[in-house]
Amino acid sequence: MSAVHLTAPSIDPEEVAYFERLAHRWWDVEGPFWPLHKLNIFRVDYIREHLAAVLGRDAAAERPFEGVKILDIGCGGGILSESMARLGADVTGIEITDKNVKVAQMHAQWSGLDVAYRLASVDELVREGATFDAVLNMEVVEHVEHLPDFLADCRQLVRPGGVMFIASINRTLAAWLIAILGAEYLLRWLPRGTHHYRKLAPPAQVKRLLGGDFQLLDETGVRVNPLNRKFSFTRWQGVNYMLLLQRSAS
């Protein structure tokens, strides 16, 4: 099964090897994934508020997503998947790296959470006919090959009337200076080689590739303060951005 996933058109074997080497560090909040742990708190609040509004749920409830089917693409060690499960969602997390799946499964078991982790690619779920109320495509777009094919598969996983959240890095000079040169080589917040400029996708391209069946509900830029390492919203999407799109119900 893993051989199929590792050779899927949207999967870069070099990305697989890179994250496989780091798999054991996912839940080390002081390790190489510390920016993701801090970002997770920020993005969970964003997802909670906006998804609750779309579904007509109370965002302030302890478990506002009870019974909601959520897919976490590129779930890694399960940081976001676990957060969604704690909010009551029926979460499926998929990964293309076997070590990440094992780390995620073990941590969910230790945490007493029921999350369905799978070694699978998006095209496999499409072939199975799977659909979800919400698809989380967070910090994945910038790591895939053949973005049009990848997003074509992703959009089919959203049920009619469902939504997709996308978080990624813009393809701009500022993004190269801040997210790659700054974060990886100067500040060393991320391991060198985490991102490649050629894979970065502008939000306009992402929206266009999803097609006319998806309506943009919200978009925002995201910035981080290098002094206190806190994330905040900004109108400028020149570096990091988040999108919320809803599939037509027809």
Side-chain angles (χ1 to χ4, degrees):
M1 182 173 67
S2 61
V4 174
H5 303 318
L6 296 180
T7 58
S10 62
I11 296 172
D12 184 346
E14 291 185 4
E15 295 280 358
V16 173
Y18 174 82
F19 285 103
E20 198 167 51
R21 289 194 297 271
L22 295 173
H24 65 291
R25 305 295 301 278
W26 275 105
W27 288 95
D28 179 0
V29 296
E30 300 299 329
F33 291 110
W34 74 260
L36 194 57
H37 283 274
K38 285 188 174 292
L39 175 60
N40 189 61
I41 299 171
F42 179 80
R43 66 184 180 180
V44 167
D45 287 342
Y46 180 83
I47 294 169
R48 183 174 190 156
E49 175 187 349
H50 287 85
L51 183 56
V54 170
L55 299 176
R57 303 288 183 95
D58 179 8
E62 183 178 354
R63 293 169 63 87
F65 303 139
E66 201 76 53
V68 177
K69 291 180 60 180
I70 292 181
L71 173 66
D72 184 12
I73 299 174
C75 62
I79 297 171
L80 179 57
S81 292
E82 287 199 10
S83 295
M84 292 295 103
R86 293 182 190 279
L87 295 177
D90 178 6
V91 182
T92 297
I94 62 171
E95 250 295 338
I96 58 174
T97 302
D98 183 58
K99 288 184 179 179
N100 286 347
V101 173
K102 287 183 171 62
V103 168
Q105 289 173 334
M106 290 175 60
H107 197 275
Q109 184 177 10
W110 292 337
S111 303
L113 296 171
D114 184 14
V115 181
Y117 290 114
R118 293 184 55 186
L119 180 65
S121 55
V122 290
D123 60 304
E124 181 177 354
L125 267 62
V126 170
R127 290 194 297 270
E128 294 174 0
T131 59
F132 300 84
D133 301 307
V135 171
L136 308 182
N137 212 331
M138 314 297 278
E139 291 77 47
V140 177
V141 169
E142 65 268 30
H143 297 294
V144 303
E145 293 283 358
H146 308 294
L147 184 60
D149 294 338
F150 174 74
L151 289 178
D153 287 331
C154 291
R155 68 189 181 204
Q156 294 185 63
L157 297 174
V158 182
R159 68 159 174 81
V163 298
M164 183 186 300
F165 289 86
I166 297 177
S168 193
I169 302 174
N170 208 335
R171 191 170 65 239
T172 63
L173 176 60
W176 179 80
L177 288 171
I178 296 173
I180 297 180
L181 181 62
E184 296 182 23
Y185 289 85
L186 299 180
L187 296 175
R188 297 186 180 180
W189 284 358
L190 297 169
R192 293 183 180 182
T194 299
H195 299 107
H196 304 280
Y197 185 78
R198 68 176 181 84
K199 293 184 178 181
L200 305 183
Q205 179 187 14
V206 172
K207 289 182 283 187
R208 176 176 56 81
L209 290 174
L210 283 176
D213 282 349
F214 281 81
Q215 176 189 1
L216 180 68
L217 299 184
D218 189 75
E219 60 182 332
T220 182
V222 177
R223 63 186 173 192
V224 58
N225 185 320
L227 299 179
N228 59 20
R229 297 181 174 184
K230 289 186 177 181
F231 290 87
S232 60
F233 296 111
T234 174
R235 293 183 180 180
W236 186 54
Q237 298 181 35
V239 182
N240 296 91
Y241 62 88
M242 290 196 294
L243 309 174
L244 168 59
L245 304 104
Q246 184 172 31
R247 185 178 179 181
S248 169
S250 59

